[in-house]
Amino acid sequence: MSQADDRVVIGGAIQRLFDAAGLPWPPPARRTVTPVPLDTLIQAYNLTHDEVPALSRAAAGAYLARWGVHRPELLEDAAPLAGFLFANAHGGYILVNAGDPLPRRRFTAAHELGHYLLHFLPRLQAARDVETSLVLHDNGDTVREEDKEMSLPEMERQANQFAAELLMPETVCRTATHLYAARFRTPARFLEHHLAGDLLVSRDAMRWRLRNLNLTN
Amino acid sequence: MSLDFLLHYGGRRLRQYVEQPLLESPPEEDEEEEQKVALDFELPPDAWQPRTIAADVIDPATMPQRFIDGCHYGQTAAWLRDSLGHPIPVRLAEIGGVCMHVDGRSLRRQFAHVERIVCLIVDPFPWHEVEEFAASLAGIDMRLLPALPPIIDDVRQLTYDYASMEQRTYTQAQVEMRVLEELALSQAPDTLSLVDGPLGRYEHAQAIGVVKQHRKDYLGPNPKCWQVFYNLEPGQRTPAFRLATQSSPIVSWFLKLQGAHGAMPNWGIIRIEISSAHFEHQGSDFDYLDRLSNALLHLRCRQSSYARAPVSMEPIVRAEESLKSLLTPPATLAQRFYHLTGL
């Protein structure tokens, strides 16, 4: 799939997400920039998100067991994870490592939401067996999924792009940049610091996003 | 949950005592880079001697036309506790950057930008509560400024040491203030500008940084360099040295503005920074550093009532006064904050 195709698919998924949450997309252009309400968006799809101390497959398995989801194969792997996604036809769980900084926790959750909407939901909707469930986890460097049908690097790229577009919407970045530029010369660092703080993302993520949108050098 | 966030986490006001312990200015770790010092840039360390630069005639090309300062005016207005009982200080402040411009024989404010910030370490809280709190603050013209936890044993982590946590919010606000200074500086990139503080990551070819505090040891184990430093008389400078950073390299030297018998040996000494690009643009001419130092010597603050006068530039003092006139007194700001947040 080309990057242009990715943009269409991701844009469509985000549009449906905001529709489901009853929120306008793209976010209206405003002078003040506020964080995207990730909590509201995640709940629009009957997903539960939670922050788990020392997240691992084992910790996730124990967490799911408390809610009646028994996946004993998870309980043996204690390798640390940044994020974990479980989903079936009834809904799902997005778990993030409670020990990570808040901007990273949000990015990880948005990333897992991207996996859910882009990669899991279409397959769950197509599955004949309503008991079908899918599991995926990220440790920041690699991603693993039980079913090897999909190309994992491609899924990762799409999920990252989804998270970036969701948490740092292009319209918000462009509007804020143009509003600042109308008032004064805006060095890249000013934009990075301001928008990262206002959108509750890391400065590295914001720097990458602004460069990607050709708003800074 | 919105502005109730503070109450929800046991927020309580923090009374401001008359005698507050002065917070040290620690390295702004978000900003600082490793710097390798090359002391033999102008002269080998063994050959260092004080250079007399004072002259009656000022080279107009070395006289800065713009003066940049930042201001951070605030207090720890409240503190919370996270679920594990860590104390979370809440710093309420106004920060700003200002530029004064030479207009004939007077100085005029050319640019100023001020922001109200609420700075705290947000990591221990659920993100959706922080999202709502940030949005609510934006609604009352305040910005949430997330601070990073302190570094303990090489790892960023929360601590029960209140002072360390408070230091982080202070440092984060300082870092943000420096961003606003850079904003002020960037409004006229082609004009020779004097900045209060180190140049840091400013990529401004026409900036001169004046550093009043000597926190870092640039001279190292070189007795000769230190002897020259302590032997400086008003109107003398040390030879220049080069600071190599990952971003733009810096040319730096010490200049003694004032000093009297009985004063501390490093009293009245400032450190000056210009970018290597700036120096090269002047033909890598060390006489240019003399002329520039002479211009700064003539700009020194002569107000005996100003506590930091011996290491201050008069136009920077004026810039600071100009910016402070735009700020709200911390007590007034705190009262408004308490009213809006229900603390």
Side-chain angles (χ1 to χ4, degrees):
Chain A
M1 191 179 281
S2 71
Q3 288 196 350
D5 292 337
D6 273 355
R7 275 199 293 273
V8 172
V9 170
I10 289 166
I14 292 178
Q15 177 73 64
R16 288 191 294 279
L17 175 65
F18 273 73
D19 287 347
L23 297 171
W25 179 263
R30 287 187 300 203
R31 189 163 285 276
T32 54
V33 176
T34 56
V36 172
L38 187 57
D39 184 50
T40 307
L41 294 169
I42 289 175
Q43 290 177 20
Y45 272 88
N46 201 27
L47 295 169
T48 299
H49 72 80
D50 211 341
E51 301 177 352
V52 177
L55 180 65
S56 63
R57 278 166 62 91
Y63 180 95
L64 293 176
R66 289 205 300 275
W67 296 98
V69 180
H70 296 285
R71 301 294 296 252
E73 77 280 9
L74 297 175
L75 298 172
E76 295 172 3
D77 187 352
L81 297 177
F84 180 94
L85 170 63
F86 169 87
N88 60 23
H90 309 294
Y93 293 88
I94 289 174
L95 305 179
V96 299
N97 181 25
D100 283 341
L102 185 138
R104 183 167 184 204
R105 299 201 306 267
R106 291 183 80 239
F107 196 91
T108 301
H111 176 101
E112 302 302 340
L113 179 60
H115 279 310
Y116 175 76
L117 294 174
L118 298 170
H119 310 130
F120 278 25
L121 194 56
R123 297 170 65 197
L124 290 168
Q125 288 171 337
R128 292 180 183 169
D129 180 2
V130 295
E131 295 307 315
T132 297
S133 64
L134 297 165
V135 171
L136 184 144
H137 63 264
D138 290 83
N139 69 5
D141 300 321
T142 59
V143 59
R144 289 186 190 165
E145 198 249 334
E146 286 184 341
D147 190 325
K148 305 293 185 192
E149 283 179 14
M150 288 185 272
S151 156
L152 292 179
E154 188 177 337
M155 286 168 57
E156 277 302 276
R157 194 187 68 238
Q158 289 179 340
N160 278 336
Q161 199 175 329
F162 176 93
E165 178 59 26
L166 183 68
L167 299 180
M168 300 170 278
E170 181 174 351
T171 51
V172 171
C173 295
R174 287 197 186 284
T175 302
T177 303
H178 292 148
L179 283 173
Y180 285 131
R183 293 169 61 196
F184 36 65
R185 286 173 188 257
T186 45
R189 206 155 65 108
F190 173 81
L191 281 177
E192 290 162 13
H193 275 247
H194 256 247
L195 288 176
D198 293 347
L199 292 171
L200 284 179
V201 298
S202 72
R203 286 210 293 274
D204 284 344
M206 197 71 241
R207 185 177 305 125
W208 176 86
R209 179 68 169 154
L210 290 170
R211 285 180 184 167
N212 202 248
L213 293 171
N214 291 320
L215 293 172
T216 58
N217 296 321
Chain B
M1 189 178 305
S2 49
L3 292 175
D4 296 342
F5 175 85
L6 300 179
L7 277 178
H8 181 76
Y9 285 99
R12 62 202 76 182
R13 296 184 185 194
L14 202 62
R15 185 154 49 104
Q16 296 304 303
Y17 294 87
V18 176
E19 291 293 332
Q20 282 287 304
L22 186 66
L23 287 168
E24 290 179 21
S25 295
E28 294 167 3
E29 60 243 47
D30 289 26
E31 301 297 294
E32 297 221 342
E33 300 177 63
E34 283 292 316
Q35 292 179 321
K36 286 185 181 172
V37 184
L39 291 172
D40 57 356
F41 182 63
E42 184 174 357
L43 287 173
D46 292 346
W48 270 36
Q49 291 292 335
R51 287 176 65 93
T52 299
I53 52 84
D56 292 336
V57 180
I58 302 169
D59 174 2
T62 61
M63 183 57 82
Q65 297 299 302
R66 301 170 74 243
F67 301 91
I68 315 296
D69 193 24
C71 199
H72 168 193
Y73 206 36
Q75 63 187 46
T76 303
W79 66 288
L80 323 175
R81 281 188 173 161
D82 72 357
S83 58
L84 296 175
H86 293 110
I88 309 291
V90 179
R91 184 165 189 86
L92 176 67
E94 284 185 322
I95 54 173
V98 67
C99 170
M100 304 295 283
H101 184 258
V102 173
D103 183 6
R105 296 180 65 85
S106 59
L107 278 176
R108 294 193 192 285
R109 188 165 65 215
Q110 184 184 50
F111 175 87
H113 183 77
V114 174
E115 295 181 352
R116 285 181 182 159
I117 56 161
V118 175
C119 183
L120 70 153
I121 296 170
V122 296
D123 286 353
F125 302 108
W127 81 65
H128 62 279
E129 294 180 9
V130 178
E131 286 173 359
E132 290 180 25
F133 181 54
S136 300
L137 285 177
I140 57 172
D141 199 24
M142 291 184 178
R143 286 183 60 220
L144 175 66
L145 178 60
L148 300 169
I151 297 174
I152 300 165
D153 297 332
D154 296 329
V155 178
R156 281 206 186 276
Q157 54 185 301
L158 300 171
T159 169
Y160 289 96
D161 176 19
Y162 177 82
S164 299
M165 300 287 268
E166 187 180 40
Q167 190 70 74
R168 276 302 310 153
T169 59
Y170 174 82
T171 302
Q172 196 70 50
Q174 284 288 104
V175 168
E176 212 65 11
M177 181 199 77
R178 297 276 293 155
V179 173
L180 298 186
E181 278 184 338
E182 184 186 8
L183 178 68
L185 177 65
S186 302
Q187 301 311 304
D190 299 325
T191 307
L192 192 62
S193 303
L194 185 68
V195 183
D196 186 33
L199 294 184
R201 293 181 181 172
Y202 299 159
E203 291 177 4
H204 188 292
Q206 290 292 310
I208 305 158
V210 171
V211 185
K212 296 191 286 278
Q213 292 179 330
H214 306 299
R215 286 199 309 255
K216 278 190 177 177
D217 172 7
Y218 290 99
L219 303 182
N222 296 282
K224 177 70 175 175
C225 298
W226 283 110
Q227 286 164 15
V228 170
F229 176 87
Y230 286 121
N231 286 338
L232 286 178
E233 293 292 333
Q236 290 186 325
R237 73 167 177 91
T238 64
F241 46 95
R242 192 170 188 272
L243 306 176
T245 62
Q246 286 179 346
S247 46
S248 54
I250 297 286
V251 175
S252 185
W253 65 98
F254 292 99
L255 169 68
K256 184 144 185 159
L257 297 177
Q258 297 185 32
H261 293 296
M264 288 191 297
N266 61 355
W267 193 230
I269 297 178
I270 58 172
R271 189 170 61 80
I272 303 168
E273 291 188 351
I274 61 173
S275 68
S276 282
H278 182 166
F279 183 63
E280 287 160 14
H281 186 69
Q282 297 296 329
S284 299
D285 177 10
F286 289 105
D287 289 344
Y288 173 75
L289 306 188
D290 291 344
R291 297 196 300 277
L292 183 56
S293 300
N294 185 46
L296 300 186
L297 194 63
H298 282 79
L299 289 174
R300 70 186 185 275
C301 179
R302 293 177 169 84
Q303 296 177 37
S304 57
S305 60
Y306 186 68
R308 289 178 290 171
V311 286
S312 296
M313 300 283 121
E314 181 69 31
I316 293 292
V317 175
R318 297 274 303 280
E320 187 180 317
E321 289 168 355
S322 173
L323 187 54
K324 276 192 175 170
S325 72
L326 301 176
L327 304 182
T328 311
T332 307
L333 190 61
Q335 279 304 323
R336 181 163 180 257
F337 181 69
Y338 294 145
H339 173 71
L340 291 167
T341 57
L343 286 180

